[in-house]
Each structure stands twice: as structure tokens, then as C-alpha cells.
Amino acid sequence: MAADKPSSKGQAWFCATGLPSDIIIEVDDMTFHLHKFPLISKSRKLDQLIEELGRQPSTATVAKQKQPETQTEIEEETEEYQDDEEGDRYQLSLQGLPGGSDTFETAAKFCYGVKIDLSSSTVVPLRCAAEFLEMIDEYSEDNLVSKTERFLSQSVFKSLKESIKALKSCESVMTSAESLGLVQRLMDSIVSRASSVDPTPFGWPVNDEAIEANGASTQALWNGIETGLRKKAVAPTNNVEAWFEDLALLTLPLFKRFILTLKGRDPSPEVIESCLMCYAKKYIPGTSRSNRKPSTSSAAAISDSEQRELLETIISNLPLEKTCSSTATRFLFGLLRTSNILNASESSKAVLEKKIGFQLEQATLDDLLIPSYSYLNETLYDVDCIERILGYFLDGLEERNAAGIEAENQGNDDNINIISSSRLPALMIVGKLIDGYLSEIASDANLKPEKFYNLAISLPDQARNFDDGLYRAVDVFLKAHPWIPEPEREKICGVLDCQKLTLEACTHAAQNERLPLRAVVQVLFFEQLQLRHAIAGTLLAAETAPMNEGRLSEERREDDENEEGEGEERVAVSRGEEGQGRSRSSNTWRAAERENQVLRVDMDSMRTRVHQLEKECSTMKKVIEKIEKEGPGGGGWRGSLNKRFGCKFKTQVCDSHESAVAETRRGRHHQQ
């Protein structure tokens, strides 16, 4: 039986077939005026209910209709009800129908033979309603149950995106969907396809709106240590499939169940981590520096307690394996900042700090700058948190060392090479990162010297090839804390290894009035050692150069003599080559003599410089001894010199160095 286009008026739904309706069915707040024969031909449950009503006297129709307002609407309603009164009328109320009135409307259209359009968002409620109405093939061929099952098998289960949409629709009919096994079937379909996906082609982790540009900052100080400048951000270049964003539309209980099912299939850690990242960025603001607001209006309605529950759920499900993505590390730092704001449990924070520590070499300076949200901390940034994260990183290195020793005992050379090659670069990257962090927090006036000192000495010596970055941090700290006493200043400067300072850093330190005298003397002493080593190397090069030239000339003479004995026909040629060889040898000898003269001039100037440094050191030692004899009063050694000489003390290192360089340049100019 085909039906004309149905119509609805207010809260009443009519099937315009030209025949008066003989049954009224109430579903939620909607009243359906239908005909019993199309319904009983497809639904066994409706057939049974109508048969039971047929044994009872008919009742007056009580329909929840919208009250007509105009005279025309009153006349139309009167005509409808007059038509209905011509035959027997039944009234049913379907309580607990899955999907409500919208789903029943689709089922009614199916009973009337109207073509219905199924989708992944409507098929699950319709399948549950068909089961509720007992629209099965045993009752009527090609019924609604089989139709919805075919659509699920052919269109939904074969697509990851459509399966997620169908799983989302289960939330409104969860009880019925669970009893029919639809939720678990959809879960298995999604997990089986998601666990087999390789995240690399899609640029996972996903949905990061601020991917840092490749390359270093626009400015670097002290041997490449980054300053407070931030790296510029560029737009993401990788597109991600829409199904991954659809996964974030699930409610938290359904999402938790999905994650547990996914972890049971043992997929790659990147897949699980990416699912958690996308879901967190959907509902938790502040997980990314570039995305401080929720992405949808529904996320804004989540309370702090719900956000805290969601946050702890995501943290507890994070994979323990180390991931190789700086985006994932940045996301973990965002979770840690949000955990501090929402007052998450200490165990959740510890899990985050430990996971960050295992991949600290992938972090950036901007990640480490975690604000201090507690009123107990006086500092601007949470230094204690970074200190704990660094401790986890060093513990991880110790575990790698233990694994390397075990592999060495077992004779596995491949594992030894992998562990040793990955340990040192990671340690040096973290060393550079911590030096930059120290330079950033050193300007905080509330930072205690003990905190700065403990963080600076926490790294082993292998973490730094040069101490220029650490020296810059010390210089910034002393400049921001001019009131600290001399012993603490010496303790702070004790973190420096003067032998690891480059020439630029030594020159700056020798003229730095903020450094204590002991540190300046150490810098000058090691600079003198460097000069002595340089002189020794120059002398060795000068001694070996003539010997090498002599050996070269002897070899050439032997070659010439051998060529003379080859035959009379080549006598003229050999004599010519001998003359050329002798001329080349004489030219080389003259060039070597000129180079030796230049080296002698350089050595003389370097000897003069060394003598000047020795005089300066002896003079400074005498001044120190004299000050110590007079007592600690007088405002320190600089103050005593100011009082004694009436001028500001300044080391003569730069002046003497400049004069030596000028003399050397003048000497070279006269040589030329």
C-alpha cells in the first residue's frame, strides 16, 4: 500500500492517504494518526496490541494536539476528527520506544511502503526500534530488521568513519544497543581498522594548530644557546582524515570504553596517544599554547570537575612507551599546565612528569616555561617541576647505561652501538635546553641562589662541550641579584668550568665586574694555560716544517738521479726536468723560510702576552693578600680599590691584549 506524503500539524502527525485514520499512537510528545492495516502487516507487536484493544470498547481519542488559534485551523481540525469518527478508532501509547518519535516516524513510513533513507547516524536507533516493534522477517518478508542489518554490514562496518558516527548514535539508545550487541560490534569494527592504521602518512599526532618552524631561532648567544626569543609558528601542512575528529564527539564513558578496547588490540603507541590528544584538545582548553579556548560550544559547557575527570582519564591511559614526536611532547606539557590549573591529583602529575622526562630531549624552551600557579611558590615559573622532570630524564639515562652494560656482557654489539649513540646526543641536547632555561629564569628576582645552583649542577659534565650558555645564565643571575653576599656569588660561579669557556666568553668574563675576584683569577689562569698550549703547538709546527721540506727535496733528488740513468735518448729531457725540480725546490725553500719568520714574530708576541698575564696575576695576588690582611671591612676588594686609588677598578686584560694584538699587526705590516 503506497501512501501520500505525510504531514504534521503541531504535535500531531497525519498520513494523507485519503482514508480516515483508525488508530492513534502516542510516542513521547507526538501523536500519530495512522491506519492499522499497514502497521499490523509489518509489526507483530502492534498487531498484538491492536488485537488486545479490539477486545475492549473503543475509547475517546485523547491526542496531545496543538490548540488551534485561527478559525481556519479550527475548521480543518473539525473536519479531520469528523472523518476519524466514521470508523472504529484505537489509541495506543508506546512507552520506551528506542529513538523516540523521530524513529517511529521512519518506521511508520516503512510500514506504508514509503522509501526511507538510512544513514550511519539513524540506522542504530531504527534497528533498535525495529526490534522493539518486532518487525522481523519471520513475521513479514524483507522487514525493517533485515533492512537495517544489511545497511550496517554493507555500509557501516566497512567504513571507519561511518562506524564512529553509528557508535555516536548509540548514546541515545544505549540500553537497547547494548542488548542487541551493536555497541560491541561497532567497537570491534573501529578498533580493528584503527589499530591497523599507520599514523605516519597522516602526520599524527594530529590537530596541532601551531607546528613550530624547522630551524633555530633568529638569534643565539653564547655558543648557540637560545635566548628568550620564540620560534615562529607555521600552519599545519598535513591533512588528517575526518573520522579522527569524529572520534572526539563520543561521550566520555563511551570514549573510555573505546580506549580500553583499543589497548586490548595492542596497536602502536602513536595511535593511542593521538586519539587521546584529539579528544583532550576538543574538550579541555589550554592543552596547547596556540589553542587556549575550547574548539566547540559544547566543550565550554563542561564543568571543572568534568574536565578534571577527563584529564585524569587521558593521563591514566597514556602509553608508557617513548614517542618520537615533538608535538606529542608539547601536548604533554600542555596537559601538565592544565593539571596545575584544575588541581589534578598528584599521581596524575607524577605520571606526566615521568613520561615527559623520558623524552625531554624533544622539548623546547617554550615548553619548559611552566607558570607557577601555587601561592606557596614565589617564583614566576615552576622550577621544582622542571627539576623533577630532569631527574626522571637522568634516571632514564642510567637505565640505558645499565642496558648497555648488560648488552656488552652478552656481546651484543648492535645494542651497544644504538644505546651509546642515542645517549650522548640526548644528554647534550638537554644540557643546552637547561642552560637556556637557566638564562630565562635567572632574571626572576625571587629565585633563590640555592635553587639556581642545584639546577645548574644537576647535569653531568658530559652534557656540555662548552660552558658559554651556563656562563650567560650566571651573568644574568648576578645582574638580577646584586644584593647577594660574596660567598654566595662565589658559590654560583663555582658551577662554571673555566676550561670549557671559549675565547669570547673568557674575554667577557675577564672584564665582568659582577664576577667575584676568585672567578676572574681562574679565568685569567686558564686563559694563560690556553696561550701556553697554543705556543707549544706553534713551536712544534715550526720545528716539523723544515724537516718535512728537507725530506721532500731529498726524495725529488733521488727521482731526478733515477731518471738520468734511463737512457741516452732522454738525457736532454731529464736535464730539463732536473733544472725545473731544482728551481721548484729552491722556491719552496724560500717560502718555508718566510713562513718561519712569520711564526717567529707570532711566537715573540705570544711570549710577550704570557709575560704580561703573569705580571697581572702576580699583581692581583699581592692585592688580594694585602686586602685579606687588612680585614673583611671596606665593601670588598673592588670597594677597597676604589677607596685606595679613587677610581673604578677594571682589569687590564683587554688593554694588554689589544696592545699585544696591535704590536703584532704592526710587526706583520713591517715584515710585509
Side-chain angles (χ1 to χ4, degrees), residues 22-80:
D22 53 7
I23 185 171
I24 298 174
I25 300 178
E26 294 180 359
V27 181
D28 295 339
D29 58 347
M30 181 69 74
T31 303
F32 294 87
H33 297 261
L34 304 172
H35 306 83
K36 63 180 181 180
F37 292 108
L39 299 178
I40 64 177
S41 64
K42 292 293 184 181
S43 173
R44 184 164 61 185
K45 185 177 183 65
L46 291 179
D47 184 21
Q48 294 173 353
L49 293 176
I50 293 174
E51 185 178 355
E52 292 177 1
L53 289 177
R55 301 191 189 102
Q56 302 174 3
S58 61
T59 59
T61 303
V62 181
K64 298 181 180 179
Q65 297 183 3
K66 182 179 178 182
Q67 296 296 330
E69 297 180 357
T70 63
Q71 185 64 28
T72 304
E73 292 180 355
I74 294 175
E75 293 176 356
E76 291 177 355
E77 294 289 335
T78 303
E79 292 177 358
E80 291 288 344

Short mmCIF file of all heavy atoms in Angstrom, two decimals, residues 22-80:
data_model
loop_
_atom_site.label_atom_id
_atom_site.label_comp_id
_atom_site.label_asym_id
_atom_site.label_seq_id
_atom_site.Cartn_x
_atom_site.Cartn_y
_atom_site.Cartn_z
N ASP A 22 -7.67 5.22 11.63
CA ASP A 22 -8.43 4.40 12.56
C ASP A 22 -7.62 4.02 13.81
O ASP A 22 -8.06 3.20 14.61
CB ASP A 22 -8.93 3.14 11.88
CG ASP A 22 -7.81 2.38 11.20
OD1 ASP A 22 -6.63 2.78 11.37
OD2 ASP A 22 -8.10 1.41 10.48
N ILE A 23 -6.42 4.60 13.96
CA ILE A 23 -5.61 4.35 15.15
C ILE A 23 -4.76 5.57 15.46
O ILE A 23 -4.26 6.24 14.55
CB ILE A 23 -4.72 3.10 14.96
CG1 ILE A 23 -3.98 2.78 16.27
CG2 ILE A 23 -3.75 3.26 13.81
CD1 ILE A 23 -3.26 1.46 16.24
N ILE A 24 -4.66 5.87 16.70
CA ILE A 24 -3.85 6.99 17.17
C ILE A 24 -2.78 6.42 18.11
O ILE A 24 -3.09 5.74 19.08
CB ILE A 24 -4.70 8.03 17.92
CG1 ILE A 24 -5.76 8.62 16.99
CG2 ILE A 24 -3.81 9.14 18.48
CD1 ILE A 24 -6.72 9.55 17.69
N ILE A 25 -1.52 6.70 17.77
CA ILE A 25 -0.39 6.19 18.55
C ILE A 25 0.38 7.37 19.12
O ILE A 25 0.79 8.27 18.37
CB ILE A 25 0.52 5.29 17.70
CG1 ILE A 25 -0.26 4.09 17.17
CG2 ILE A 25 1.73 4.82 18.51
CD1 ILE A 25 0.55 3.18 16.27
N GLU A 26 0.59 7.38 20.42
CA GLU A 26 1.33 8.43 21.10
C GLU A 26 2.75 7.93 21.39
O GLU A 26 2.93 6.89 22.02
CB GLU A 26 0.64 8.83 22.40
CG GLU A 26 -0.72 9.47 22.20
CD GLU A 26 -1.36 9.85 23.53
OE1 GLU A 26 -0.71 9.59 24.58
OE2 GLU A 26 -2.46 10.39 23.52
N VAL A 27 3.72 8.70 20.91
CA VAL A 27 5.13 8.43 21.17
C VAL A 27 5.76 9.72 21.67
O VAL A 27 5.81 10.71 20.92
CB VAL A 27 5.86 7.92 19.92
CG1 VAL A 27 7.32 7.62 20.24
CG2 VAL A 27 5.17 6.69 19.36
N ASP A 28 6.19 9.72 22.92
CA ASP A 28 6.73 10.92 23.56
C ASP A 28 5.68 12.03 23.50
O ASP A 28 4.56 11.86 23.97
CB ASP A 28 8.05 11.33 22.91
CG ASP A 28 9.14 10.28 23.11
OD1 ASP A 28 9.01 9.47 24.06
OD2 ASP A 28 10.11 10.25 22.32
N ASP A 29 5.99 13.14 22.89
CA ASP A 29 5.05 14.26 22.82
C ASP A 29 4.40 14.38 21.45
O ASP A 29 3.83 15.42 21.11
CB ASP A 29 5.77 15.58 23.16
CG ASP A 29 6.95 15.84 22.23
OD1 ASP A 29 7.34 14.91 21.49
OD2 ASP A 29 7.48 16.96 22.25
N MET A 30 4.49 13.36 20.64
CA MET A 30 3.93 13.38 19.28
C MET A 30 2.79 12.37 19.18
O MET A 30 2.88 11.25 19.71
CB MET A 30 5.02 13.05 18.25
CG MET A 30 4.54 13.07 16.80
SD MET A 30 4.15 14.73 16.22
CE MET A 30 5.82 15.40 16.04
N THR A 31 1.71 12.78 18.49
CA THR A 31 0.54 11.92 18.25
C THR A 31 0.47 11.59 16.77
O THR A 31 0.44 12.49 15.92
CB THR A 31 -0.75 12.61 18.69
OG1 THR A 31 -0.64 12.97 20.07
CG2 THR A 31 -1.94 11.70 18.49
N PHE A 32 0.45 10.28 16.45
CA PHE A 32 0.43 9.82 15.07
C PHE A 32 -0.97 9.29 14.74
O PHE A 32 -1.47 8.39 15.41
CB PHE A 32 1.47 8.71 14.86
CG PHE A 32 2.89 9.17 15.01
CD1 PHE A 32 3.50 9.19 16.26
CD2 PHE A 32 3.62 9.58 13.91
CE1 PHE A 32 4.81 9.60 16.41
CE2 PHE A 32 4.92 9.99 14.05
CZ PHE A 32 5.52 10.01 15.30
N HIS A 33 -1.58 9.86 13.71
CA HIS A 33 -2.89 9.43 13.21
C HIS A 33 -2.64 8.50 12.02
O HIS A 33 -2.32 8.96 10.91
CB HIS A 33 -3.73 10.64 12.80
CG HIS A 33 -4.04 11.55 13.95
ND1 HIS A 33 -5.24 11.50 14.63
CD2 HIS A 33 -3.29 12.51 14.57
CE1 HIS A 33 -5.24 12.41 15.60
NE2 HIS A 33 -4.06 13.03 15.57
N LEU A 34 -2.79 7.20 12.24
CA LEU A 34 -2.39 6.21 11.25
C LEU A 34 -3.53 5.24 10.95
O LEU A 34 -4.65 5.42 11.43
CB LEU A 34 -1.16 5.44 11.77
CG LEU A 34 0.05 6.30 12.16
CD1 LEU A 34 1.10 5.45 12.83
CD2 LEU A 34 0.62 7.02 10.95
N HIS A 35 -3.16 4.22 10.17
CA HIS A 35 -4.12 3.17 9.80
C HIS A 35 -3.55 1.84 10.27
O HIS A 35 -2.35 1.58 10.10
CB HIS A 35 -4.36 3.17 8.29
CG HIS A 35 -4.79 4.50 7.76
ND1 HIS A 35 -3.89 5.49 7.44
CD2 HIS A 35 -6.04 5.01 7.49
CE1 HIS A 35 -4.54 6.55 7.00
NE2 HIS A 35 -5.86 6.28 7.02
N LYS A 36 -4.41 1.01 10.81
CA LYS A 36 -3.92 -0.19 11.48
C LYS A 36 -3.44 -1.27 10.51
O LYS A 36 -2.51 -2.01 10.83
CB LYS A 36 -5.00 -0.77 12.39
CG LYS A 36 -6.25 -1.23 11.67
CD LYS A 36 -7.27 -1.79 12.67
CE LYS A 36 -8.53 -2.27 11.94
NZ LYS A 36 -9.52 -2.81 12.90
N PHE A 37 -3.99 -1.37 9.31
CA PHE A 37 -3.61 -2.45 8.42
C PHE A 37 -2.15 -2.35 7.93
O PHE A 37 -1.44 -3.36 7.92
CB PHE A 37 -4.59 -2.55 7.25
CG PHE A 37 -5.96 -3.00 7.66
CD1 PHE A 37 -7.03 -2.11 7.68
CD2 PHE A 37 -6.18 -4.32 8.05
CE1 PHE A 37 -8.30 -2.53 8.07
CE2 PHE A 37 -7.44 -4.74 8.44
CZ PHE A 37 -8.51 -3.85 8.46
N PRO A 38 -1.65 -1.20 7.51
CA PRO A 38 -0.22 -1.13 7.15
C PRO A 38 0.69 -1.46 8.34
O PRO A 38 1.74 -2.08 8.17
CB PRO A 38 -0.04 0.31 6.69
CG PRO A 38 -1.40 0.76 6.29
CD PRO A 38 -2.34 0.07 7.23
N LEU A 39 0.25 -1.07 9.55
CA LEU A 39 1.10 -1.29 10.72
C LEU A 39 1.15 -2.76 11.09
O LEU A 39 2.22 -3.31 11.37
CB LEU A 39 0.59 -0.46 11.90
CG LEU A 39 0.59 1.07 11.70
CD1 LEU A 39 0.02 1.75 12.94
CD2 LEU A 39 1.99 1.58 11.40
N ILE A 40 0.00 -3.42 11.12
CA ILE A 40 -0.02 -4.82 11.55
C ILE A 40 0.57 -5.75 10.50
O ILE A 40 0.91 -6.89 10.80
CB ILE A 40 -1.46 -5.26 11.89
CG1 ILE A 40 -2.35 -5.21 10.64
CG2 ILE A 40 -2.02 -4.42 13.02
CD1 ILE A 40 -3.78 -5.71 10.90
N SER A 41 0.74 -5.23 9.27
CA SER A 41 1.35 -6.07 8.23
C SER A 41 2.87 -6.18 8.41
O SER A 41 3.49 -7.10 7.86
CB SER A 41 1.04 -5.51 6.85
OG SER A 41 1.63 -4.24 6.68
N LYS A 42 3.47 -5.26 9.17
CA LYS A 42 4.92 -5.26 9.35
C LYS A 42 5.33 -5.47 10.80
O LYS A 42 6.42 -5.99 11.06
CB LYS A 42 5.51 -3.93 8.86
CG LYS A 42 5.41 -3.71 7.36
CD LYS A 42 6.30 -4.70 6.61
CE LYS A 42 6.29 -4.42 5.11
NZ LYS A 42 7.13 -5.40 4.36
N SER A 43 4.52 -5.08 11.76
CA SER A 43 4.90 -5.13 13.17
C SER A 43 4.03 -6.14 13.91
O SER A 43 2.81 -5.97 14.01
CB SER A 43 4.79 -3.74 13.81
OG SER A 43 4.99 -3.80 15.19
N ARG A 44 4.69 -7.15 14.45
CA ARG A 44 3.95 -8.12 15.24
C ARG A 44 3.52 -7.55 16.57
O ARG A 44 2.44 -7.87 17.08
CB ARG A 44 4.80 -9.37 15.46
CG ARG A 44 4.08 -10.49 16.20
CD ARG A 44 4.80 -11.81 16.06
NE ARG A 44 6.15 -11.74 16.62
CZ ARG A 44 7.03 -12.76 16.53
NH1 ARG A 44 6.68 -13.87 15.89
NH2 ARG A 44 8.23 -12.64 17.04
N LYS A 45 4.31 -6.68 17.13
CA LYS A 45 3.96 -6.08 18.42
C LYS A 45 2.73 -5.20 18.29
O LYS A 45 1.80 -5.26 19.11
CB LYS A 45 5.14 -5.27 18.96
CG LYS A 45 4.90 -4.71 20.36
CD LYS A 45 6.12 -3.98 20.88
CE LYS A 45 5.91 -3.50 22.30
NZ LYS A 45 5.75 -4.59 23.27
N LEU A 46 2.67 -4.37 17.24
CA LEU A 46 1.48 -3.53 17.04
C LEU A 46 0.25 -4.39 16.75
O LEU A 46 -0.87 -4.05 17.15
CB LEU A 46 1.73 -2.54 15.90
CG LEU A 46 2.77 -1.44 16.18
CD1 LEU A 46 2.94 -0.55 14.95
CD2 LEU A 46 2.33 -0.58 17.38
N ASP A 47 0.46 -5.47 16.03
CA ASP A 47 -0.66 -6.38 15.76
C ASP A 47 -1.23 -6.93 17.06
O ASP A 47 -2.46 -6.98 17.25
CB ASP A 47 -0.18 -7.50 14.85
CG ASP A 47 -1.32 -8.43 14.43
OD1 ASP A 47 -2.50 -8.00 14.51
OD2 ASP A 47 -1.03 -9.57 14.04
N GLN A 48 -0.36 -7.33 17.96
CA GLN A 48 -0.83 -7.86 19.24
C GLN A 48 -1.53 -6.80 20.07
O GLN A 48 -2.57 -7.05 20.69
CB GLN A 48 0.35 -8.46 20.00
CG GLN A 48 0.96 -9.69 19.33
CD GLN A 48 2.22 -10.15 20.02
OE1 GLN A 48 2.72 -9.48 20.93
NE2 GLN A 48 2.75 -11.30 19.59
N LEU A 49 -0.97 -5.59 20.09
CA LEU A 49 -1.58 -4.51 20.88
C LEU A 49 -2.94 -4.11 20.33
O LEU A 49 -3.90 -3.88 21.08
CB LEU A 49 -0.64 -3.30 20.92
CG LEU A 49 0.68 -3.48 21.68
CD1 LEU A 49 1.54 -2.22 21.54
CD2 LEU A 49 0.40 -3.75 23.16
N ILE A 50 -3.05 -4.04 19.00
CA ILE A 50 -4.33 -3.66 18.39
C ILE A 50 -5.37 -4.76 18.61
O ILE A 50 -6.56 -4.50 18.84
CB ILE A 50 -4.14 -3.36 16.89
CG1 ILE A 50 -3.28 -2.10 16.72
CG2 ILE A 50 -5.47 -3.19 16.19
CD1 ILE A 50 -2.90 -1.80 15.28
N GLU A 51 -4.91 -6.02 18.56
CA GLU A 51 -5.84 -7.13 18.81
C GLU A 51 -6.37 -7.07 20.24
O GLU A 51 -7.56 -7.35 20.48
CB GLU A 51 -5.14 -8.45 18.55
CG GLU A 51 -6.06 -9.66 18.67
CD GLU A 51 -5.34 -10.95 18.36
OE1 GLU A 51 -4.15 -10.89 17.95
OE2 GLU A 51 -5.95 -12.03 18.53
N GLU A 52 -5.51 -6.72 21.19
CA GLU A 52 -5.96 -6.58 22.57
C GLU A 52 -6.95 -5.43 22.72
O GLU A 52 -7.93 -5.52 23.46
CB GLU A 52 -4.76 -6.38 23.49
CG GLU A 52 -3.85 -7.59 23.60
CD GLU A 52 -2.64 -7.31 24.45
OE1 GLU A 52 -2.55 -6.17 24.97
OE2 GLU A 52 -1.80 -8.21 24.63
N LEU A 53 -6.67 -4.33 21.98
CA LEU A 53 -7.60 -3.20 22.05
C LEU A 53 -8.94 -3.55 21.42
O LEU A 53 -9.98 -3.00 21.79
CB LEU A 53 -6.99 -1.97 21.36
CG LEU A 53 -5.82 -1.30 22.08
CD1 LEU A 53 -5.28 -0.15 21.24
CD2 LEU A 53 -6.26 -0.77 23.44
N GLY A 54 -8.93 -4.43 20.40
CA GLY A 54 -10.18 -4.79 19.74
C GLY A 54 -11.13 -5.52 20.66
O GLY A 54 -12.36 -5.51 20.43
N ARG A 55 -10.61 -6.19 21.69
CA ARG A 55 -11.46 -6.88 22.63
C ARG A 55 -12.09 -5.93 23.64
O ARG A 55 -12.97 -6.31 24.39
CB ARG A 55 -10.66 -7.93 23.38
CG ARG A 55 -10.00 -8.97 22.48
CD ARG A 55 -9.47 -10.13 23.29
NE ARG A 55 -8.65 -11.02 22.48
CZ ARG A 55 -7.33 -11.04 22.48
NH1 ARG A 55 -6.68 -10.21 23.27
NH2 ARG A 55 -6.68 -11.90 21.71
N GLN A 56 -11.59 -4.67 23.67
CA GLN A 56 -12.10 -3.69 24.61
C GLN A 56 -12.96 -2.68 23.88
O GLN A 56 -12.79 -2.45 22.68
CB GLN A 56 -10.94 -2.97 25.30
CG GLN A 56 -9.99 -3.91 26.05
CD GLN A 56 -8.79 -3.17 26.58
OE1 GLN A 56 -8.70 -1.96 26.44
NE2 GLN A 56 -7.89 -3.92 27.22
N PRO A 57 -13.89 -2.03 24.56
CA PRO A 57 -14.68 -0.97 23.92
C PRO A 57 -13.78 0.20 23.55
O PRO A 57 -12.83 0.52 24.25
CB PRO A 57 -15.70 -0.60 24.99
CG PRO A 57 -15.09 -1.02 26.28
CD PRO A 57 -14.30 -2.25 25.97
N SER A 58 -14.12 0.79 22.43
CA SER A 58 -13.29 1.91 21.96
C SER A 58 -13.40 3.08 22.89
O SER A 58 -14.43 3.32 23.51
CB SER A 58 -13.73 2.33 20.55
OG SER A 58 -15.08 2.76 20.59
N THR A 59 -12.34 3.79 23.00
CA THR A 59 -12.27 4.97 23.89
C THR A 59 -12.18 6.22 23.07
O THR A 59 -11.88 6.21 21.88
CB THR A 59 -11.05 4.86 24.81
OG1 THR A 59 -9.88 4.77 24.00
CG2 THR A 59 -11.15 3.61 25.68
N ALA A 60 -12.45 7.27 23.73
CA ALA A 60 -12.36 8.57 23.05
C ALA A 60 -10.90 8.90 22.78
O ALA A 60 -10.00 8.52 23.51
CB ALA A 60 -13.01 9.65 23.91
N THR A 61 -10.75 9.54 21.71
CA THR A 61 -9.40 9.90 21.31
C THR A 61 -8.89 11.02 22.20
O THR A 61 -9.54 12.05 22.35
CB THR A 61 -9.39 10.36 19.85
OG1 THR A 61 -9.92 9.32 19.06
CG2 THR A 61 -7.99 10.72 19.41
N VAL A 62 -7.74 10.77 22.79
CA VAL A 62 -7.09 11.80 23.60
C VAL A 62 -5.73 12.05 22.95
O VAL A 62 -4.80 11.27 23.15
CB VAL A 62 -6.93 11.36 25.06
CG1 VAL A 62 -6.27 12.46 25.86
CG2 VAL A 62 -8.28 11.01 25.64
N ALA A 63 -5.68 13.07 22.14
CA ALA A 63 -4.44 13.36 21.42
C ALA A 63 -3.85 14.66 21.93
O ALA A 63 -4.57 15.62 22.17
CB ALA A 63 -4.73 13.48 19.92
N LYS A 64 -2.51 14.64 22.06
CA LYS A 64 -1.80 15.85 22.51
C LYS A 64 -1.55 16.72 21.30
O LYS A 64 -0.50 16.67 20.69
CB LYS A 64 -0.47 15.47 23.17
CG LYS A 64 -0.64 14.62 24.41
CD LYS A 64 0.72 14.32 25.01
CE LYS A 64 0.60 13.47 26.24
NZ LYS A 64 1.89 13.13 26.83
N GLN A 65 -2.65 17.49 20.98
CA GLN A 65 -2.53 18.32 19.79
C GLN A 65 -2.38 19.77 20.20
O GLN A 65 -2.81 20.19 21.28
CB GLN A 65 -3.77 18.17 18.91
CG GLN A 65 -3.96 16.74 18.38
CD GLN A 65 -5.14 16.66 17.47
OE1 GLN A 65 -5.77 17.68 17.21
NE2 GLN A 65 -5.45 15.47 17.00
N LYS A 66 -1.80 20.48 19.30
CA LYS A 66 -1.64 21.92 19.50
C LYS A 66 -2.99 22.60 19.35
O LYS A 66 -3.74 22.32 18.42
CB LYS A 66 -0.64 22.46 18.47
CG LYS A 66 -0.37 23.95 18.62
CD LYS A 66 0.63 24.40 17.57
CE LYS A 66 0.87 25.89 17.69
NZ LYS A 66 1.80 26.38 16.66
N GLN A 67 -3.35 23.47 20.25
CA GLN A 67 -4.64 24.16 20.20
C GLN A 67 -4.69 25.09 19.00
O GLN A 67 -3.79 25.89 18.79
CB GLN A 67 -4.85 24.97 21.49
CG GLN A 67 -4.94 24.10 22.73
CD GLN A 67 -6.14 23.19 22.69
OE1 GLN A 67 -7.16 23.53 22.10
NE2 GLN A 67 -6.02 22.02 23.32
N PRO A 68 -5.74 24.95 18.17
CA PRO A 68 -5.85 25.84 17.01
C PRO A 68 -6.11 27.27 17.45
O PRO A 68 -6.79 27.51 18.44
CB PRO A 68 -7.02 25.25 16.22
CG PRO A 68 -7.84 24.51 17.23
CD PRO A 68 -6.88 24.00 18.24
N GLU A 69 -5.56 28.18 16.70
CA GLU A 69 -5.67 29.58 17.06
C GLU A 69 -6.61 30.34 16.13
O GLU A 69 -7.36 31.21 16.57
CB GLU A 69 -4.28 30.22 17.03
CG GLU A 69 -3.33 29.59 18.05
CD GLU A 69 -1.96 30.23 18.00
OE1 GLU A 69 -1.77 31.10 17.11
OE2 GLU A 69 -1.09 29.87 18.82
N THR A 70 -6.60 30.03 14.85
CA THR A 70 -7.44 30.75 13.89
C THR A 70 -8.69 29.94 13.58
O THR A 70 -8.77 28.74 13.85
CB THR A 70 -6.67 31.04 12.60
OG1 THR A 70 -6.33 29.80 11.99
CG2 THR A 70 -5.38 31.81 12.90
N GLN A 71 -9.70 30.62 12.99
CA GLN A 71 -10.95 29.95 12.63
C GLN A 71 -10.72 28.90 11.55
O GLN A 71 -11.35 27.83 11.56
CB GLN A 71 -11.96 31.01 12.13
CG GLN A 71 -13.34 30.45 11.83
CD GLN A 71 -14.03 29.90 13.08
OE1 GLN A 71 -13.77 30.35 14.18
NE2 GLN A 71 -14.90 28.90 12.90
N THR A 72 -9.78 29.20 10.61
CA THR A 72 -9.48 28.23 9.55
C THR A 72 -8.91 26.95 10.13
O THR A 72 -9.30 25.84 9.73
CB THR A 72 -8.49 28.84 8.56
OG1 THR A 72 -9.04 30.08 8.07
CG2 THR A 72 -8.22 27.90 7.40
N GLU A 73 -7.99 27.04 11.09
CA GLU A 73 -7.42 25.85 11.72
C GLU A 73 -8.47 25.07 12.49
O GLU A 73 -8.47 23.84 12.51
CB GLU A 73 -6.27 26.25 12.65
CG GLU A 73 -5.06 26.79 11.93
CD GLU A 73 -3.96 27.16 12.90
OE1 GLU A 73 -4.20 27.07 14.13
OE2 GLU A 73 -2.87 27.52 12.42
N ILE A 74 -9.42 25.79 13.11
CA ILE A 74 -10.49 25.11 13.85
C ILE A 74 -11.35 24.30 12.90
O ILE A 74 -11.72 23.14 13.18
CB ILE A 74 -11.35 26.13 14.62
CG1 ILE A 74 -10.50 26.78 15.73
CG2 ILE A 74 -12.59 25.47 15.21
CD1 ILE A 74 -11.23 27.89 16.46
N GLU A 75 -11.67 24.87 11.73
CA GLU A 75 -12.49 24.15 10.76
C GLU A 75 -11.75 22.92 10.22
O GLU A 75 -12.35 21.85 10.05
CB GLU A 75 -12.88 25.08 9.62
CG GLU A 75 -13.82 26.20 10.07
CD GLU A 75 -14.13 27.16 8.94
OE1 GLU A 75 -13.52 26.99 7.83
OE2 GLU A 75 -14.93 28.07 9.12
N GLU A 76 -10.45 23.06 9.93
CA GLU A 76 -9.68 21.94 9.43
C GLU A 76 -9.60 20.82 10.46
O GLU A 76 -9.76 19.64 10.13
CB GLU A 76 -8.27 22.39 9.05
CG GLU A 76 -8.24 23.30 7.83
CD GLU A 76 -6.84 23.78 7.53
OE1 GLU A 76 -5.93 23.47 8.36
OE2 GLU A 76 -6.63 24.46 6.53
N GLU A 77 -9.39 21.16 11.71
CA GLU A 77 -9.31 20.14 12.76
C GLU A 77 -10.66 19.44 12.93
O GLU A 77 -10.73 18.22 13.15
CB GLU A 77 -8.89 20.77 14.09
CG GLU A 77 -7.47 21.32 14.10
CD GLU A 77 -6.47 20.18 14.09
OE1 GLU A 77 -6.82 19.07 14.52
OE2 GLU A 77 -5.35 20.39 13.63
N THR A 78 -11.73 20.22 12.81
CA THR A 78 -13.07 19.62 12.97
C THR A 78 -13.34 18.61 11.86
O THR A 78 -13.89 17.52 12.10
CB THR A 78 -14.15 20.72 12.94
OG1 THR A 78 -13.86 21.66 13.98
CG2 THR A 78 -15.53 20.14 13.16
N GLU A 79 -12.95 18.96 10.61
CA GLU A 79 -13.15 18.04 9.51
C GLU A 79 -12.33 16.76 9.70
O GLU A 79 -12.81 15.66 9.42
CB GLU A 79 -12.76 18.71 8.19
CG GLU A 79 -13.70 19.85 7.80
CD GLU A 79 -13.24 20.54 6.54
OE1 GLU A 79 -12.16 20.13 6.02
OE2 GLU A 79 -13.90 21.47 6.09
N GLU A 80 -11.13 16.88 10.18
CA GLU A 80 -10.29 15.70 10.38
C GLU A 80 -10.92 14.76 11.40
O GLU A 80 -10.98 13.55 11.20
CB GLU A 80 -8.88 16.12 10.84
CG GLU A 80 -8.04 16.82 9.78
CD GLU A 80 -7.59 15.85 8.72
OE1 GLU A 80 -7.66 14.63 8.96
OE2 GLU A 80 -7.18 16.31 7.65
#
